[in-house]
Amino acid sequence: GMSNPPYFLEYLAPMAEIFKHPRVYSVLHVPVQAGSDKVLARMRRKYTAKEFCRVVDFLRENVPEMNIHTDIICGFPEESVDDWKETLALVNKYKFPALHISQFYPRPGTPAAKMKRVNTKEVKRRSKEMTELFLSYETLSGKVGKTYKVLATEIA
């Protein structure tokens, strides 16, 4: 499933119980977008990095083999070097098994389209840096040698 952090905070314990059920995949996509509260506020997100971490920490502690995926936007307008370092640190801390990395693109008519943009070369550099971080860690090596039940939904 997929949801944003504020919708989970109130229901973490019941959600953990649902994810523990043998017929429920323990996979959740929770888009954080940035590890900096300043950037999240400029994005008008209704959560902080700390709240996102609370969701991830609780589910990982309470659901065996919980897999949490997330999204990162590189170069959101006015994102400072320190803001970017906070995002890198968050990804490095959790080492997500799936990470959707995108470069900021202004959608016409949005408040972000009017904000001061980060230099295009810097946005590309940050995207490359995040990709290299993602490729630097292994998240599934602990599954080698284990046996799992699988569900095939299509035949190729």
Side-chain angles (χ1 to χ4, degrees):
M2 178 181 151
S3 188
N4 287 304
Y7 307 117
F8 271 104
L9 290 170
E10 190 176 341
Y11 304 103
L12 282 174
M15 291 304 298
E17 290 305 311
I18 291 168
F19 279 119
K20 287 181 196 177
H21 192 282
R23 293 183 185 229
V24 175
Y25 293 115
S26 55
V27 176
L28 182 63
H29 184 109
V30 185
V32 69
Q33 311 297 358
S36 162
D37 288 341
K38 287 187 248 173
V39 174
L40 291 170
R42 282 195 296 276
M43 289 179 174
R44 298 185 177 179
R45 302 291 170 177
K46 295 178 179 169
Y47 56 89
T48 64
K50 184 177 180 180
E51 290 170 326
F52 172 84
C53 292
R54 193 169 138 221
V55 170
V56 175
D57 291 340
F58 186 90
L59 291 175
R60 283 188 171 179
E61 289 168 13
N62 291 281
V63 181
E65 300 198 32
M66 185 73 206
N67 284 291
I68 298 177
H69 305 173
T70 198
D71 303 339
I72 296 294
I73 297 174
C74 304
F76 191 81
E78 302 173 22
E79 179 182 66
S80 70
V81 171
D82 287 340
D83 293 330
W84 177 243
K85 286 179 182 177
E86 289 180 52
T87 300
L88 287 169
L90 184 136
V91 171
N92 193 48
K93 175 182 178 180
Y94 290 110
K95 296 181 175 20
F96 301 99
L99 183 65
H100 306 273
I101 304 165
S102 62
Q103 297 175 17
F104 173 78
Y105 179 80
R107 289 184 304 173
T110 62
K114 297 173 186 167
M115 295 177 185
K116 185 176 189 281
R117 294 183 60 189
V118 175
N119 177 284
T120 302
K121 286 183 181 180
E122 177 61 14
V123 173
K124 289 180 182 182
R125 188 198 69 72
R126 290 178 187 182
S127 178
K128 184 175 187 254
E129 184 177 23
M130 185 60 72
T131 300
E132 288 170 354
L133 173 59
F134 175 70
L135 295 174
S136 74
Y137 58 81
E138 174 61 54
T139 60
L140 301 175
S141 58
K143 298 185 184 302
V144 174
K146 292 185 178 179
T147 302
Y148 293 91
K149 290 182 182 179
V150 298
L151 173 64
T153 59
E154 293 183 24
I155 297 174

